[in-house]
Every structure is written in structure tokens, then in C-alpha cells.
Amino acid sequence: MTRSISVLGATGSVGVSTLDLIRRNRADWRVVALTAHSNVEELAKLAREFDADLAVIAQDNLLGALRDALDGSGIEAAAGRGALCEASARSADIVMAAIVGCAGLGPVMAAIEQGTTVALANKEALVSAGEVMTAAVEKHGATLLPVDSEHNAIFQCLRGGKLAEVRTITLTASGGPLRTWSKAQLDEATPAQAIAHPNWDMGAKISVDSATMFNKGLELIEAHHLFPVGLDKIRIVVHPQSVIHSMVEYRDGSTLAQLGPSDMRVPIASCLAYPARMDTPMDPLDLAAIGELTFHAPDEKRFPATRLAREAAQAGGAAPGTLNAANEVAVAAFLAGNIPFSRIALMVERVLTETELPPAPQTLEEVLRVDEDARRRASAMLETC
Ligand code: NDP
């Protein structure tokens, strides 16, 4: 039976991996909407290839260019943030949420409000909205399928037992490309070095997040919302080979782990086919060739991000959204060459601690206000740096 899908962030790393799987199973899928931020050319190319009903570019001023690029195709073109939400709310069996950053929150909520199945890669949306999003999922009968490889692993391991029987959840972390660097070396890390991830090929923002360990911090908060076992039961272990994607330990001492190649098409396929399975082009896992799996505790002195995220999750309210927004501003500044690598965590900590946070957000509008407020404070801090 043909299923329908919309891909938000179709031109990005997760978007392209999703469309690769759709391409390999073309007859099974109808593409409703594809979206991008500014890459008109690639968006139009994909929309034509997949015969999408609709293509949306986030930047308003690129509507004319998108229309030109789709001329004669019969594909509808639209632009702007409102159009992203409308695309996301269009009837589809599944929406792949793969926009990067809190910019994806509005579209994710629009899909949730339709009661749709949302494959969630866009972790920043859940970190920022927290209970506002989980309450909306409940209210509208939507389904969230975790795309993040760690959360997808946990989701799969939880099929072997009940949440109430969980003793601990362990998120694995590769440690990123700068894992073994000294504090002094970290001060000198360049954007090119920070995004050169040893195991995963990802977009620039999440690659920097992996290098700072903010990615794991965001994932800790994401896990706290997706699998409500209590923060004290969620742990992080550094596992440089990225073969075990995460683990669940049950009350009887059994630990279930999910293993696989470091290729996002595996967790994406698990979401697309859920609750069944589908083929992917991966080679079988060859543990003898891998040889060794190693583990160690995170070093929160060199990489304070996981501590900051845990504290923000414990504080709740506006803290996780503030942490996320400050991190987005700091990562953009680092990528632009405006601040050194180690200033990212420092800036996030200062935004969280040096001023009073707004009250806990109760609605999407309030979540977006927390995000704006934190961005304003982080940007002001950049000016004075
Ligand atoms: P990329 O940077 O590769 O792609 C981001 C996508 O979002 C692009 O299509 C981009 O369009 C679009 N986009 C960027 N900014 C905006 C905006 N302001 N409004 C609307 N659209 C926007 O990111 P990734 O694919 O790496 O990551 C996407 C999400 O998935 C992130 O939240 C990340 O944390 C998460 N994730 C990613 C993994 C990975 O392996 N890459 C693994 C696990 C989670 P354009 O191309 O036009 O700029």
C-alpha cells in the first residue's frame, strides 16, 4: 500500500538520507511536501524527482526563484514560515521533521496538531518546547517516532520491556572529533576541525554540537521527555566506535542494546517502516572486523555541556529552551569565526545563570518568546565579548 510523506528540511543531511530510502522504495511512497531554508536549486530538483505536491522555501524573498525553478512541473511553490507550517499540516501518513534548530518547532507543532505521525530528528524543537510538545502529542493523538540514533535505539530496546521496569537508560556518545584534546588545544579548535566528525556525516550545527557534547546534552533532555523514567535514571557513556547506539537496563539486570552502522538511514528506516522493518543498503554488522568496543565516563571539566544540560533539565521551565537558544547563537558565532570553541559552553552557562529566566512557558507562543529572549541575551553577550 502506498504511504504518503512530507520531509521538512529535505535538502539537509537527514532529509537527503530519508529521500534516499524513499528513492529505493519509490513505488511505496507518495511525496506530499518538501521544504528547505534557502537552497532553491536542490529543493526544486528533489521536488521534481519525487513529484511532490508542494515545495516550500523558508526565506520569503526566494519565492520567485522557486517558482522559476519549478516552472512547468505543476508543483505548487510557497515561501515563508507560515507556509512551512501549512506544508507540515497537510495530510500525510508521516512527517519527517529534519529542520535544524528551534526554527523547526512551529512546523513540528503544526503536524502534531493534525494528529500525524512525526519522525522527529529536530531535537531542538523538543528540547525547547518540552511539556508543551508532549502535551500536544497527547491531546491530538499524534505519534512521535524518534529519529536520533540514540533515541531510536532506546525506542527499539523498549519494545523488549515496559517503561515501569526500566532501571537505567544509557545514551552512548562518540565524544566527537575533539574527544582527546586538552583544554588548551580546545581553545584553538577551528570550525573545520570541530565539524570533522570521525563516525557520522552530519550537518554543520549538529557536528559542532557533537564536538562540544551539547549534542549529548540536548539528547539527555530529549530522552527525558520521550522516555519519562526520571532524569536520575538517564546516563551518558562515551563510546568512541558508535556501534552501540544506546542501551536500556531492566530491573532484572538485563541490558538491551541496539547496534548498527553509523548511518542515519538505519534509524530513519526504522521510523519509516514502523512497526514493521524495511531493507536498507547497509552491509551486515561485522563485529570481528570492528574488534573492540570501548567505553568511558564523560569528562565534564573539558566538556561542560552535559552538566549544563542536566542542570537545565532539572530546573525545567524556561531553562532548557534558554540553553538551546544560547547554544544555537554561540554555535553560529563559532562557525562564523567570531568566538573560540571553548566560549560556546561559557556563553550558554552565562546566559543561563547571569540573568533571571522568564516564567515556564505554557504555550507555543510562550516557548517562542523564551527562545527569542535567550537569543537576544546571547547576541548581546557576543557584542560585549
Ligand atoms: P542540515 O544542516 O544538514 O539540514 C538542515 C535542513 O533544514 C536543510 O534542509 C535546511 O535548508 C533546513 N533549514 C535550515 N535552517 C532552516 C530554517 N531557519 N527554517 C527552515 N528550514 C531550515 O541539518 P541535519 O540534517 O544535520 O540536522 C537536522 C536535524 O536533525 C537537527 O535538529 C539535528 O540535530 C537532527 N539530527 C541530525 C542527524 C544527522 O545525522 N545529520 C542525526 C540526528 C539528529 P537549506 O539546505 O536550504 O539550508
Side-chain angles (χ1 to χ4, degrees):
M1 205 176 68
T2 308
R3 297 179 68 220
S4 56
I5 185 167
S6 290
V7 183
L8 314 176
T11 51
S13 166
V14 171
V16 165
S17 293
T18 305
L19 289 170
D20 177 75
L21 292 171
I22 304 286
R23 185 181 288 117
R24 290 168 193 273
N25 299 275
R26 198 62 198 93
D28 300 342
W29 292 95
R30 185 173 76 77
V31 174
V32 178
L34 298 179
T35 81
H37 180 241
S38 57
N39 193 345
V40 166
E41 202 182 318
E42 192 56 25
L43 176 64
K45 197 169 126 212
L46 291 170
R48 283 179 186 272
E49 178 189 348
F50 289 94
D51 195 22
D53 299 342
L54 169 68
V56 179
I57 196 83
Q59 291 199 334
D60 291 289
N61 60 341
L62 293 175
L63 180 57
L66 181 61
R67 283 200 175 122
D68 290 347
L70 291 173
D71 192 31
S73 67
I75 298 166
E76 202 183 324
R81 292 166 71 134
L84 282 180
C85 293
E86 281 166 33
S88 184
R90 283 221 179 165
S91 175
D93 293 316
I94 184 163
V95 172
M96 169 56 72
I99 290 175
V100 61
C102 191
L105 174 58
V108 169
M109 291 295 278
I112 289 172
E113 281 163 14
Q114 300 306 309
T116 310
T117 296
V118 178
L120 186 76
N122 183 196
K123 65 191 85 182
E124 298 91 345
L126 179 55
V127 168
S128 303
E131 290 82 7
V132 172
M133 184 183 292
T134 50
V137 168
E138 183 90 9
K139 178 175 170 197
H140 298 284
T143 303
L144 278 190
L145 297 177
V147 173
D148 228 337
S149 58
E150 294 78 359
H151 305 75
N152 188 270
I154 296 162
F155 188 70
Q156 293 196 44
C157 294
L158 283 172
R159 286 161 85 176
K162 295 196 181 78
L163 207 57
E165 295 168 332
V166 170
R167 189 190 278 170
T168 60
I169 286 177
T170 301
L171 291 163
T172 54
S174 71
L178 314 180
R179 178 176 58 88
T180 56
W181 289 33
S182 69
K183 225 164 176 308
Q185 285 173 311
L186 289 175
D187 285 337
E188 305 296 324
T190 64
Q193 290 167 325
I195 62 176
H197 200 286
N199 306 341
W200 297 91
D201 181 12
M202 310 182 285
K205 193 262 176 182
I206 185 177
S207 297
V208 175
D209 285 347
S210 294
T212 57
M213 292 286 283
F214 265 111
N215 184 45
K216 213 48 55 184
L218 297 175
E219 288 179 5
L220 177 79
I221 303 173
E222 185 185 10
H224 172 56
H225 291 298
L226 289 173
F227 315 113
V229 293
L231 262 177
D232 56 323
K233 291 185 179 171
I234 307 178
R235 303 191 175 154
I236 295 170
V237 69
V238 177
H239 165 46
Q241 296 82 12
S242 299
V243 171
I244 296 182
H245 296 299
S246 278
M247 298 172 250
V248 174
E249 181 190 31
Y250 287 97
R251 58 190 288 200
D252 59 4
S254 297
T255 295
L256 303 194
Q258 186 261 352
L259 286 69
S262 311
D263 189 312
M264 283 305 292
R265 287 176 295 181
V266 176
I268 293 169
S270 138
C271 292
L272 294 184
Y274 181 81
R277 298 273 179 184
M278 66 187 275
D279 291 337
T280 65
M282 303 307 140
D283 290 334
L285 189 65
D286 186 348
L287 286 176
I290 294 165
E292 226 180 25
L293 301 182
T294 56
F295 306 91
H296 58 87
D299 176 351
E300 293 189 335
K301 288 217 162 59
R302 282 182 304 134
F303 300 102
T306 48
R307 171 183 60 81
L308 293 173
R310 192 175 289 277
E311 286 169 4
Q314 272 157 354
T322 300
L323 171 132
N324 177 68
N327 180 53
E328 287 194 32
V329 172
V331 170
F334 168 69
L335 286 171
N338 295 336
I339 59 168
F341 180 79
S342 21
R343 190 68 62 81
I344 298 174
L346 212 61
M347 255 185 73
V348 173
E349 182 151 26
R350 284 184 58 192
V351 172
L352 276 167
T353 55
E354 286 190 1
T355 46
E356 203 182 323
L357 299 186
Q362 308 293 335
T363 62
L364 174 59
E365 290 67 32
E366 288 174 7
V367 171
L368 294 173
R369 271 206 292 279
V370 168
D371 178 75
E372 264 173 41
D373 175 72
R375 277 169 205 276
R376 203 175 320 109
R377 283 184 291 127
S379 303
M381 205 168 278
L382 280 178
E383 307 266 308
T384 59
C385 272

